[in-house]
Amino acid sequence: MSIRIFISPAKYVQGKNAIKDIGEYVKVLGEQAVVIADETVWEIAGNDVVEQLKQENIKTEEVLFNGEASKTEIQRIAEIAKKENASVVIGVGGGKTLDTAKAVSDEVQGYTVIVPTTASTDAPTSALSVVYSDEGTFENYRFYNKNPDLVVVDTKIIAGAPQRFLASGIADALATWVEARSVINAGGKAMAGGITTIAGQAIAEKCEETLFQYAHLAYESNKAKSVTPALEAVVEANTLLSGLGFESGGLAAAHAIHNGFTALKGEIHHLTHGEKVAFGTLVQLALENHSIDEIERYLELYISLDLPVTLEDIKLKDVSREDILKVAEAATIETETIHEAFDITAEEVVDAVFAADQYAKAYKEKRNK
Ligand SMILES: [Zn+2]
């Protein structure tokens, strides 16, 4: 019989000014912490986190993150953590900083604390990192034996971040149910290593429902730098529901196609993870059998959030079939998640990429009439 597996972080805390209590939550874990953040994030949140930790007599070593979740960067920071005898590793920032913190924590077998400063990906809660080359090409997923011990999301900080990040997180979270549903239907395995539990399925479905209800209001709240119930709901959907939903629900084509796109050179590298996933999700929908109403429902939401829906939008206006074949080949390598839900060739992915692009162009034309 197939084994069902569900995994999750030990504690999730979310709210306006949640960072003010971080010292209390961390002191039960350990007394020596390494805090990792990039230059901008030190100003926005890193220094506040350190101040709160000091108030609880937790010793801290502050590390400046170089921007890429690569093997070299992970090794560099792990050496610092070892030297300091740190038992707690705290990542403050966006997806790549958090993925690096998880890897460093794994190297020193410490407690992992995650403080996202944007709701731009579902990386915070999971027991895995995406590792890139120093140049930013997808290399592999790195799995850990546990999820983060603590995730603290301060919605005041999220509301202060540019709305493009929230929209990117919504796009990442919108992929969650699309991918989990296909894995469940195909009887494939989720990232957690087993088939999907009822809990995993319910969370992924609720993620989607929450987004269609509140995503647009949350996006407008973010523009107004205001914490509202809609923003709180969407931050939870982007972070907790999407995080649990993808990890214990399943990843399929949308993320595999995203990973394939990282193999291309050029301007596409300026897009966020979620923006590439938005297009990947449309490609997965084009691979499946959906009505025009269903496809247009997604297109409308993406467009209303200023997310990319065409190849031109992801900076690939005149891309050749050969280049898309490269993307498709990378998306269908043996280890990719696309195989958890699809029996598929690279050629079929190429067709779906161009079809998804054409669906979006046709919808935009219809919408502008
Ligand atoms: Zn993602």
mmCIF file of all heavy atoms in Angstrom, residues 295-333:
data_model
loop_
_atom_site.group_PDB
_atom_site.id
_atom_site.type_symbol
_atom_site.label_atom_id
_atom_site.label_comp_id
_atom_site.label_asym_id
_atom_site.label_seq_id
_atom_site.Cartn_x
_atom_site.Cartn_y
_atom_site.Cartn_z
ATOM 1 N N ILE A 295 -9.410 28.393 -17.805
ATOM 2 C CA ILE A 295 -8.140 29.023 -18.187
ATOM 3 C C ILE A 295 -8.252 30.554 -18.029
ATOM 4 O O ILE A 295 -7.345 31.200 -17.502
ATOM 5 C CB ILE A 295 -7.778 28.684 -19.658
ATOM 6 C CG1 ILE A 295 -7.725 27.173 -19.874
ATOM 7 C CG2 ILE A 295 -6.498 29.419 -20.096
ATOM 8 C CD1 ILE A 295 -6.413 26.493 -19.720
ATOM 9 N N GLU A 296 -9.372 31.112 -18.457
ATOM 10 C CA GLU A 296 -9.524 32.576 -18.406
ATOM 11 C C GLU A 296 -9.644 33.096 -16.978
ATOM 12 O O GLU A 296 -9.284 34.236 -16.695
ATOM 13 C CB GLU A 296 -10.729 33.004 -19.248
ATOM 14 C CG GLU A 296 -10.429 32.830 -20.739
ATOM 15 C CD GLU A 296 -11.505 33.372 -21.668
ATOM 16 O OE1 GLU A 296 -12.594 33.769 -21.180
ATOM 17 O OE2 GLU A 296 -11.252 33.392 -22.877
ATOM 18 N N ARG A 297 -10.131 32.253 -16.085
ATOM 19 C CA ARG A 297 -10.225 32.634 -14.679
ATOM 20 C C ARG A 297 -8.809 32.906 -14.129
ATOM 21 O O ARG A 297 -8.576 33.871 -13.408
ATOM 22 C CB ARG A 297 -10.892 31.482 -13.934
ATOM 23 C CG ARG A 297 -11.255 31.724 -12.515
ATOM 24 C CD ARG A 297 -12.219 30.622 -12.060
ATOM 25 N NE ARG A 297 -12.250 30.557 -10.631
ATOM 26 C CZ ARG A 297 -11.642 29.612 -9.898
ATOM 27 N NH1 ARG A 297 -10.982 28.639 -10.493
ATOM 28 N NH2 ARG A 297 -11.706 29.644 -8.585
ATOM 29 N N TYR A 298 -7.888 32.050 -14.469
ATOM 30 C CA TYR A 298 -6.494 32.253 -14.048
ATOM 31 C C TYR A 298 -5.884 33.465 -14.737
ATOM 32 O O TYR A 298 -5.243 34.296 -14.102
ATOM 33 C CB TYR A 298 -5.639 31.009 -14.351
ATOM 34 C CG TYR A 298 -5.874 29.887 -13.385
ATOM 35 C CD1 TYR A 298 -6.860 28.940 -13.614
ATOM 36 C CD2 TYR A 298 -5.130 29.789 -12.220
ATOM 37 C CE1 TYR A 298 -7.103 27.912 -12.716
ATOM 38 C CE2 TYR A 298 -5.351 28.766 -11.313
ATOM 39 C CZ TYR A 298 -6.344 27.827 -11.565
ATOM 40 O OH TYR A 298 -6.570 26.833 -10.672
ATOM 41 N N LEU A 299 -6.078 33.536 -16.064
ATOM 42 C CA LEU A 299 -5.494 34.656 -16.813
ATOM 43 C C LEU A 299 -5.943 35.990 -16.234
ATOM 44 O O LEU A 299 -5.137 36.902 -16.044
ATOM 45 C CB LEU A 299 -5.885 34.552 -18.292
ATOM 46 C CG LEU A 299 -5.124 33.491 -19.099
ATOM 47 C CD1 LEU A 299 -5.803 33.278 -20.453
ATOM 48 C CD2 LEU A 299 -3.668 33.906 -19.298
ATOM 49 N N GLU A 300 -7.226 36.095 -15.919
ATOM 50 C CA GLU A 300 -7.760 37.344 -15.403
ATOM 51 C C GLU A 300 -7.101 37.715 -14.076
ATOM 52 O O GLU A 300 -6.733 38.869 -13.846
ATOM 53 C CB GLU A 300 -9.287 37.240 -15.250
ATOM 54 C CG GLU A 300 -9.970 38.532 -14.821
ATOM 55 C CD GLU A 300 -9.640 39.734 -15.721
ATOM 56 O OE1 GLU A 300 -9.603 39.578 -16.957
ATOM 57 O OE2 GLU A 300 -9.420 40.835 -15.168
ATOM 58 N N LEU A 301 -6.945 36.715 -13.202
ATOM 59 C CA LEU A 301 -6.324 37.015 -11.907
ATOM 60 C C LEU A 301 -4.860 37.441 -12.091
ATOM 61 O O LEU A 301 -4.422 38.448 -11.523
ATOM 62 C CB LEU A 301 -6.429 35.809 -10.959
ATOM 63 C CG LEU A 301 -5.932 36.058 -9.525
ATOM 64 C CD1 LEU A 301 -6.671 37.222 -8.858
ATOM 65 C CD2 LEU A 301 -6.067 34.814 -8.657
ATOM 66 N N TYR A 302 -4.121 36.710 -12.910
ATOM 67 C CA TYR A 302 -2.719 37.083 -13.142
ATOM 68 C C TYR A 302 -2.618 38.506 -13.702
ATOM 69 O O TYR A 302 -1.810 39.303 -13.249
ATOM 70 C CB TYR A 302 -2.050 36.129 -14.141
ATOM 71 C CG TYR A 302 -1.779 34.736 -13.627
ATOM 72 C CD1 TYR A 302 -2.092 33.620 -14.397
ATOM 73 C CD2 TYR A 302 -1.183 34.524 -12.396
ATOM 74 C CE1 TYR A 302 -1.834 32.332 -13.950
ATOM 75 C CE2 TYR A 302 -0.929 33.245 -11.939
ATOM 76 C CZ TYR A 302 -1.255 32.147 -12.725
ATOM 77 O OH TYR A 302 -0.997 30.887 -12.269
ATOM 78 N N ILE A 303 -3.436 38.801 -14.702
ATOM 79 C CA ILE A 303 -3.357 40.121 -15.337
ATOM 80 C C ILE A 303 -3.710 41.217 -14.328
ATOM 81 O O ILE A 303 -3.061 42.261 -14.273
ATOM 82 C CB ILE A 303 -4.258 40.175 -16.596
ATOM 83 C CG1 ILE A 303 -3.680 39.253 -17.683
ATOM 84 C CG2 ILE A 303 -4.374 41.605 -17.135
ATOM 85 C CD1 ILE A 303 -4.589 38.999 -18.874
ATOM 86 N N SER A 304 -4.709 40.957 -13.477
ATOM 87 C CA SER A 304 -5.111 41.968 -12.491
ATOM 88 C C SER A 304 -4.020 42.204 -11.443
ATOM 89 O O SER A 304 -4.024 43.216 -10.750
ATOM 90 C CB SER A 304 -6.434 41.568 -11.816
ATOM 91 O OG SER A 304 -6.192 40.592 -10.828
ATOM 92 N N LEU A 305 -3.089 41.272 -11.329
ATOM 93 C CA LEU A 305 -1.985 41.417 -10.373
ATOM 94 C C LEU A 305 -0.684 41.818 -11.081
ATOM 95 O O LEU A 305 0.404 41.720 -10.506
ATOM 96 C CB LEU A 305 -1.766 40.094 -9.619
ATOM 97 C CG LEU A 305 -2.956 39.590 -8.808
ATOM 98 C CD1 LEU A 305 -2.736 38.161 -8.356
ATOM 99 C CD2 LEU A 305 -3.225 40.490 -7.604
ATOM 100 N N ASP A 306 -0.805 42.244 -12.338
ATOM 101 C CA ASP A 306 0.355 42.651 -13.145
ATOM 102 C C ASP A 306 1.391 41.546 -13.299
ATOM 103 O O ASP A 306 2.598 41.805 -13.363
ATOM 104 C CB ASP A 306 1.016 43.920 -12.556
ATOM 105 C CG ASP A 306 0.001 45.037 -12.365
ATOM 106 O OD1 ASP A 306 -0.737 45.319 -13.319
ATOM 107 O OD2 ASP A 306 -0.073 45.606 -11.250
ATOM 108 N N LEU A 307 0.923 40.311 -13.330
ATOM 109 C CA LEU A 307 1.833 39.171 -13.499
ATOM 110 C C LEU A 307 1.972 38.820 -14.982
ATOM 111 O O LEU A 307 1.056 39.063 -15.769
ATOM 112 C CB LEU A 307 1.302 37.958 -12.725
ATOM 113 C CG LEU A 307 1.520 38.023 -11.216
ATOM 114 C CD1 LEU A 307 0.591 37.064 -10.490
ATOM 115 C CD2 LEU A 307 2.979 37.719 -10.860
ATOM 116 N N PRO A 308 3.112 38.234 -15.379
ATOM 117 C CA PRO A 308 3.316 37.881 -16.786
ATOM 118 C C PRO A 308 2.459 36.677 -17.199
ATOM 119 O O PRO A 308 2.305 35.735 -16.428
ATOM 120 C CB PRO A 308 4.803 37.515 -16.840
ATOM 121 C CG PRO A 308 5.152 37.107 -15.460
ATOM 122 C CD PRO A 308 4.274 37.905 -14.539
ATOM 123 N N VAL A 309 1.918 36.743 -18.408
ATOM 124 C CA VAL A 309 1.106 35.620 -18.914
ATOM 125 C C VAL A 309 1.535 35.161 -20.314
ATOM 126 O O VAL A 309 1.093 34.106 -20.775
ATOM 127 C CB VAL A 309 -0.411 35.954 -18.914
ATOM 128 C CG1 VAL A 309 -0.937 36.095 -17.489
ATOM 129 C CG2 VAL A 309 -0.710 37.216 -19.716
ATOM 130 N N THR A 310 2.381 35.958 -20.993
ATOM 131 C CA THR A 310 2.819 35.565 -22.338
ATOM 132 C C THR A 310 4.345 35.403 -22.356
ATOM 133 O O THR A 310 5.038 35.844 -21.425
ATOM 134 C CB THR A 310 2.472 36.645 -23.386
ATOM 135 O OG1 THR A 310 3.192 37.845 -23.053
ATOM 136 C CG2 THR A 310 0.982 36.940 -23.424
ATOM 137 N N LEU A 311 4.857 34.836 -23.442
ATOM 138 C CA LEU A 311 6.313 34.730 -23.600
ATOM 139 C C LEU A 311 6.942 36.120 -23.646
ATOM 140 O O LEU A 311 8.013 36.343 -23.085
ATOM 141 C CB LEU A 311 6.650 33.945 -24.873
ATOM 142 C CG LEU A 311 6.449 32.424 -24.771
ATOM 143 C CD1 LEU A 311 6.541 31.776 -26.153
ATOM 144 C CD2 LEU A 311 7.477 31.791 -23.829
ATOM 145 N N GLU A 312 6.257 37.044 -24.300
ATOM 146 C CA GLU A 312 6.770 38.419 -24.338
ATOM 147 C C GLU A 312 6.892 38.979 -22.916
ATOM 148 O O GLU A 312 7.883 39.623 -22.571
ATOM 149 C CB GLU A 312 5.846 39.308 -25.181
ATOM 150 C CG GLU A 312 6.378 40.730 -25.298
ATOM 151 C CD GLU A 312 5.539 41.632 -26.203
ATOM 152 O OE1 GLU A 312 4.491 41.170 -26.712
ATOM 153 O OE2 GLU A 312 5.939 42.787 -26.391
ATOM 154 N N ASP A 313 5.878 38.719 -22.086
ATOM 155 C CA ASP A 313 5.900 39.207 -20.700
ATOM 156 C C ASP A 313 7.090 38.646 -19.914
ATOM 157 O O ASP A 313 7.579 39.284 -18.981
ATOM 158 C CB ASP A 313 4.615 38.823 -19.953
ATOM 159 C CG ASP A 313 3.379 39.517 -20.512
ATOM 160 O OD1 ASP A 313 3.531 40.505 -21.251
ATOM 161 O OD2 ASP A 313 2.261 39.056 -20.202
ATOM 162 N N ILE A 314 7.510 37.411 -20.240
ATOM 163 C CA ILE A 314 8.675 36.860 -19.519
ATOM 164 C C ILE A 314 9.973 37.090 -20.317
ATOM 165 O O ILE A 314 10.963 36.386 -20.143
ATOM 166 C CB ILE A 314 8.500 35.368 -19.113
ATOM 167 C CG1 ILE A 314 8.275 34.451 -20.322
ATOM 168 C CG2 ILE A 314 7.381 35.195 -18.100
ATOM 169 C CD1 ILE A 314 8.390 32.957 -19.976
ATOM 170 N N LYS A 315 9.954 38.106 -21.163
ATOM 171 C CA LYS A 315 11.138 38.576 -21.906
ATOM 172 C C LYS A 315 11.643 37.567 -22.940
ATOM 173 O O LYS A 315 12.835 37.452 -23.192
ATOM 174 C CB LYS A 315 12.298 38.934 -20.938
ATOM 175 C CG LYS A 315 11.903 39.745 -19.720
ATOM 176 C CD LYS A 315 11.436 41.123 -20.078
ATOM 177 C CE LYS A 315 10.989 41.898 -18.835
ATOM 178 N NZ LYS A 315 10.128 43.036 -19.193
ATOM 179 N N LEU A 316 10.703 36.826 -23.519
ATOM 180 C CA LEU A 316 11.087 35.847 -24.544
ATOM 181 C C LEU A 316 10.231 36.033 -25.789
ATOM 182 O O LEU A 316 9.721 35.071 -26.364
ATOM 183 C CB LEU A 316 10.899 34.416 -23.995
ATOM 184 C CG LEU A 316 11.790 33.989 -22.835
ATOM 185 C CD1 LEU A 316 11.369 32.614 -22.317
ATOM 186 C CD2 LEU A 316 13.260 33.955 -23.238
ATOM 187 N N LYS A 317 10.092 37.277 -26.230
ATOM 188 C CA LYS A 317 9.167 37.605 -27.311
ATOM 189 C C LYS A 317 9.389 36.768 -28.578
ATOM 190 O O LYS A 317 8.474 36.127 -29.065
ATOM 191 C CB LYS A 317 9.264 39.099 -27.638
ATOM 192 C CG LYS A 317 8.210 39.527 -28.645
ATOM 193 C CD LYS A 317 8.130 41.040 -28.770
ATOM 194 C CE LYS A 317 7.037 41.421 -29.753
ATOM 195 N NZ LYS A 317 7.552 42.113 -30.921
ATOM 196 N N ASP A 318 10.604 36.777 -29.081
ATOM 197 C CA ASP A 318 10.841 36.070 -30.340
ATOM 198 C C ASP A 318 11.652 34.805 -30.131
ATOM 199 O O ASP A 318 12.476 34.420 -30.953
ATOM 200 C CB ASP A 318 11.553 37.003 -31.328
ATOM 201 C CG ASP A 318 10.675 38.189 -31.707
ATOM 202 O OD1 ASP A 318 9.485 37.942 -32.025
ATOM 203 O OD2 ASP A 318 11.146 39.349 -31.645
ATOM 204 N N VAL A 319 11.383 34.133 -29.027
ATOM 205 C CA VAL A 319 12.162 32.940 -28.684
ATOM 206 C C VAL A 319 11.969 31.856 -29.759
ATOM 207 O O VAL A 319 10.883 31.698 -30.315
ATOM 208 C CB VAL A 319 11.760 32.436 -27.273
ATOM 209 C CG1 VAL A 319 10.349 31.853 -27.264
ATOM 210 C CG2 VAL A 319 12.759 31.426 -26.736
ATOM 211 N N SER A 320 13.052 31.141 -30.039
ATOM 212 C CA SER A 320 12.976 30.094 -31.068
ATOM 213 C C SER A 320 12.445 28.790 -30.474
ATOM 214 O O SER A 320 12.490 28.584 -29.264
ATOM 215 C CB SER A 320 14.374 29.838 -31.633
ATOM 216 O OG SER A 320 15.209 29.329 -30.604
ATOM 217 N N ARG A 321 11.956 27.937 -31.369
ATOM 218 C CA ARG A 321 11.494 26.621 -30.944
ATOM 219 C C ARG A 321 12.656 25.824 -30.330
ATOM 220 O O ARG A 321 12.461 25.068 -29.380
ATOM 221 C CB ARG A 321 10.887 25.883 -32.142
ATOM 222 C CG ARG A 321 9.875 24.850 -31.735
ATOM 223 C CD ARG A 321 9.108 24.193 -32.843
ATOM 224 N NE ARG A 321 8.574 22.927 -32.327
ATOM 225 C CZ ARG A 321 7.378 22.808 -31.785
ATOM 226 N NH1 ARG A 321 6.557 23.824 -31.733
ATOM 227 N NH2 ARG A 321 6.968 21.643 -31.291
ATOM 228 N N GLU A 322 13.866 26.047 -30.858
ATOM 229 C CA GLU A 322 15.039 25.322 -30.320
ATOM 230 C C GLU A 322 15.296 25.713 -28.865
ATOM 231 O O GLU A 322 15.614 24.871 -28.033
ATOM 232 C CB GLU A 322 16.317 25.649 -31.127
ATOM 233 C CG GLU A 322 16.358 25.089 -32.538
ATOM 234 C CD GLU A 322 15.485 25.880 -33.492
ATOM 235 O OE1 GLU A 322 15.709 27.100 -33.630
ATOM 236 O OE2 GLU A 322 14.545 25.292 -34.083
ATOM 237 N N ASP A 323 15.176 27.021 -28.569
ATOM 238 C CA ASP A 323 15.397 27.453 -27.187
ATOM 239 C C ASP A 323 14.328 26.900 -26.252
ATOM 240 O O ASP A 323 14.622 26.494 -25.124
ATOM 241 C CB ASP A 323 15.448 28.989 -27.104
ATOM 242 C CG ASP A 323 16.865 29.516 -27.341
ATOM 243 O OD1 ASP A 323 17.796 28.690 -27.350
ATOM 244 O OD2 ASP A 323 17.025 30.739 -27.520
ATOM 245 N N ILE A 324 13.074 26.903 -26.719
ATOM 246 C CA ILE A 324 12.016 26.345 -25.871
ATOM 247 C C ILE A 324 12.205 24.832 -25.706
ATOM 248 O O ILE A 324 11.897 24.276 -24.652
ATOM 249 C CB ILE A 324 10.611 26.706 -26.431
ATOM 250 C CG1 ILE A 324 10.373 28.222 -26.311
ATOM 251 C CG2 ILE A 324 9.503 25.943 -25.707
ATOM 252 C CD1 ILE A 324 10.430 28.782 -24.887
ATOM 253 N N LEU A 325 12.776 24.187 -26.730
ATOM 254 C CA LEU A 325 13.069 22.755 -26.599
ATOM 255 C C LEU A 325 14.108 22.537 -25.485
ATOM 256 O O LEU A 325 14.010 21.583 -24.717
ATOM 257 C CB LEU A 325 13.559 22.180 -27.934
ATOM 258 C CG LEU A 325 13.790 20.654 -27.944
ATOM 259 C CD1 LEU A 325 12.505 19.889 -27.613
ATOM 260 C CD2 LEU A 325 14.339 20.186 -29.291
ATOM 261 N N LYS A 326 15.063 23.459 -25.361
ATOM 262 C CA LYS A 326 16.055 23.364 -24.268
ATOM 263 C C LYS A 326 15.361 23.449 -22.909
ATOM 264 O O LYS A 326 15.667 22.705 -21.978
ATOM 265 C CB LYS A 326 17.082 24.506 -24.368
ATOM 266 C CG LYS A 326 18.227 24.217 -25.303
ATOM 267 C CD LYS A 326 19.241 25.368 -25.230
ATOM 268 C CE LYS A 326 19.777 25.692 -26.610
ATOM 269 N NZ LYS A 326 20.296 27.055 -26.728
ATOM 270 N N VAL A 327 14.421 24.410 -22.816
ATOM 271 C CA VAL A 327 13.641 24.571 -21.578
ATOM 272 C C VAL A 327 12.882 23.277 -21.284
ATOM 273 O O VAL A 327 12.906 22.754 -20.161
ATOM 274 C CB VAL A 327 12.636 25.748 -21.721
ATOM 275 C CG1 VAL A 327 11.678 25.801 -20.538
ATOM 276 C CG2 VAL A 327 13.384 27.073 -21.881
ATOM 277 N N ALA A 328 12.230 22.751 -22.322
ATOM 278 C CA ALA A 328 11.394 21.554 -22.160
ATOM 279 C C ALA A 328 12.235 20.337 -21.808
ATOM 280 O O ALA A 328 11.813 19.484 -21.018
ATOM 281 C CB ALA A 328 10.607 21.312 -23.446
ATOM 282 N N GLU A 329 13.426 20.250 -22.391
ATOM 283 C CA GLU A 329 14.299 19.115 -22.059
ATOM 284 C C GLU A 329 14.746 19.184 -20.609
ATOM 285 O O GLU A 329 14.759 18.171 -19.906
ATOM 286 C CB GLU A 329 15.507 19.075 -23.015
ATOM 287 C CG GLU A 329 15.121 18.392 -24.324
ATOM 288 C CD GLU A 329 16.145 18.566 -25.441
ATOM 289 O OE1 GLU A 329 17.091 19.379 -25.263
ATOM 290 O OE2 GLU A 329 15.975 17.911 -26.485
ATOM 291 N N ALA A 330 15.074 20.409 -20.150
ATOM 292 C CA ALA A 330 15.457 20.560 -18.742
ATOM 293 C C ALA A 330 14.270 20.262 -17.821
ATOM 294 O O ALA A 330 14.432 19.714 -16.730
ATOM 295 C CB ALA A 330 15.978 21.968 -18.490
ATOM 296 N N ALA A 331 13.060 20.588 -18.292
ATOM 297 C CA ALA A 331 11.860 20.372 -17.470
ATOM 298 C C ALA A 331 11.451 18.903 -17.401
ATOM 299 O O ALA A 331 10.666 18.517 -16.533
ATOM 300 C CB ALA A 331 10.704 21.198 -18.024
ATOM 301 N N THR A 332 11.979 18.094 -18.330
ATOM 302 C CA THR A 332 11.556 16.684 -18.360
ATOM 303 C C THR A 332 12.693 15.723 -18.056
ATOM 304 O O THR A 332 12.581 14.533 -18.343
ATOM 305 C CB THR A 332 10.948 16.333 -19.746
ATOM 306 O OG1 THR A 332 11.869 16.740 -20.780
ATOM 307 C CG2 THR A 332 9.616 17.003 -19.956
ATOM 308 N N ILE A 333 13.819 16.225 -17.483
ATOM 309 C CA ILE A 333 14.867 15.285 -17.068
ATOM 310 C C ILE A 333 14.268 14.329 -16.036
ATOM 311 O O ILE A 333 13.288 14.654 -15.356
ATOM 312 C CB ILE A 333 16.132 15.993 -16.497
ATOM 313 C CG1 ILE A 333 15.759 16.899 -15.323
ATOM 314 C CG2 ILE A 333 16.892 16.742 -17.581
ATOM 315 C CD1 ILE A 333 16.943 17.390 -14.519
#
